[in-house]
Amino acid sequence: MFAAQADIARRFSQAAAGYDQATTIQQRTRAHLYALNTCAAHGRIVADIGSGSGAAAAYWQQQGAQILALDVASGMLQHSRHLRRGHAWLAADAEALPLADTSVDICFSNLALQWCANQAQAWHEIFRVLKPGGSALVSSLAAGSMQPLRSAWAAADHQPHSHHFVAQADLQTAVAALPWQSLHSEAHTETLHFSDLKALLQSLRQVGANHVAGRPQGLTGKQKWRLFAEAYAQYGNEQGRLPLEYRVVYWCVRK
């Protein structure tokens, strides 16, 4: 496992216990993916890629499906197994799924693929493991996410302070390159609001989403923090609540 992937796995493992209570954006996007589904799940095999705490696995179980929970974070798998969310729990990288060709009826992945070094490869893996006629329901974050966090930090220094997200057009091109029988895609900007910066940044830590490749280690100096806080305050609404935006791309495809 590469260093960046190991760091992502560690952060998400640490976040496992409190993940369900902090996943407002994941809850929104997960519900939207369910609404896009047109396939009966009863008796089907569902691969939940980036299964996290197993919230989606619990949903698919209620629909009568057999769930393969796959995640790079061992702590998440232990947590979901303890809660009996799923039927099998596999340590897995989305770019190299430990599943046989044409073995899965539905691939489900909610806000996980953006952590892959190569999302196109992850999509090739989804296509490979799906049975003919099988479907994939996927959401991923694209460039434009984590605003105005990125802009506020840019006012303080030139170091990376949030994950690099792939351009939406590049994601769409990668998915469309595969020979799907049908493909539906849409994109929306989801905005969360927080009472203050502490709550906003804590929300990222609580869901393990504070990995930043290339960021130097160590604490942020008081001067940089002041500049950052002042810049972010300019984006507050009339109630002083601070926004955090996510650019979410959704796909519903059939092989």
Side-chain angles (χ1 to χ4, degrees):
M1 185 182 296
F2 294 112
Q5 292 171 308
D7 183 61
I8 291 167
R10 178 181 62 82
R11 291 176 187 274
F12 277 94
S13 289
Q14 291 172 342
Y19 193 80
D20 286 343
Q21 289 72 45
T23 55
T24 302
I25 186 64
Q26 287 83 355
Q27 292 169 19
R28 288 188 191 179
T29 54
R30 191 164 60 237
H32 193 77
L33 285 177
Y34 297 157
L36 291 177
N37 183 41
T38 59
C39 301
H42 186 80
R44 304 294 180 89
I45 299 173
V46 176
D48 185 1
I49 301 167
S51 55
S53 64
Y59 167 84
W60 290 110
Q61 281 177 281
Q62 292 171 1
Q63 307 304 308
Q66 294 293 308
I67 314 303
L68 306 176
L70 303 107
D71 205 290
V72 72
S74 60
M76 286 292 189
L77 291 173
Q78 293 168 7
H79 183 70
S80 60
R81 186 169 189 167
H82 175 73
L83 296 175
R84 298 184 182 276
R85 293 173 169 177
H87 298 98
W89 297 266
L90 303 173
D93 185 336
E95 297 173 52
L97 297 174
L99 302 173
D101 294 358
T102 64
S103 60
V104 172
D105 296 295
I106 298 172
C107 283
F108 183 87
S109 183
N110 182 42
L111 297 191
L113 296 194
Q114 68 269 3
W115 305 114
C116 294
N118 186 340
Q119 289 194 60
Q121 174 59 27
W123 274 101
H124 277 278
E125 283 292 276
I126 289 172
F127 188 88
R128 178 184 66 80
V129 303
L130 277 175
K131 297 177 182 179
S135 297
L137 297 159
V138 176
S139 65
S140 185
L141 298 182
S145 295
M146 299 296 174
Q147 290 289 9
L149 178 73
R150 298 171 69 93
S151 296
W153 271 123
D157 65 22
H158 300 291
Q159 300 293 340
H161 288 273
S162 64
H163 183 69
H164 171 75
F165 297 100
V166 178
Q168 180 178 326
D170 293 337
L171 295 177
Q172 300 285 28
T173 298
V175 179
L178 294 165
W180 303 107
Q181 186 180 135
S182 64
L183 186 157
H184 169 79
S185 179
E186 55 191 67
H188 307 282
T189 297
E190 298 282 355
T191 305
L192 304 184
H193 288 88
F194 299 87
S195 58
D196 53 35
L197 268 182
K198 181 179 179 181
L200 188 152
L201 297 175
Q202 180 67 14
S203 76
L204 295 176
R205 287 192 292 270
Q206 285 176 326
V207 298
N210 55 335
H211 164 78
V212 182
R215 178 172 60 191
Q217 299 298 312
L219 298 175
T220 300
K222 291 183 179 180
Q223 175 68 3
K224 288 183 179 180
W225 177 263
R226 182 183 63 79
L227 292 172
F228 166 63
E230 289 176 353
Y232 216 128
Q234 297 176 24
Y235 296 98
N237 62 18
E238 293 180 358
Q239 293 75 39
R241 294 179 64 80
L242 302 176
L244 182 62
E245 296 178 353
Y246 294 87
R247 184 62 177 171
V248 188
V249 189
Y250 300 91
W251 292 270
C252 178
V253 297
R254 185 183 297 273
K255 182 175 178 180

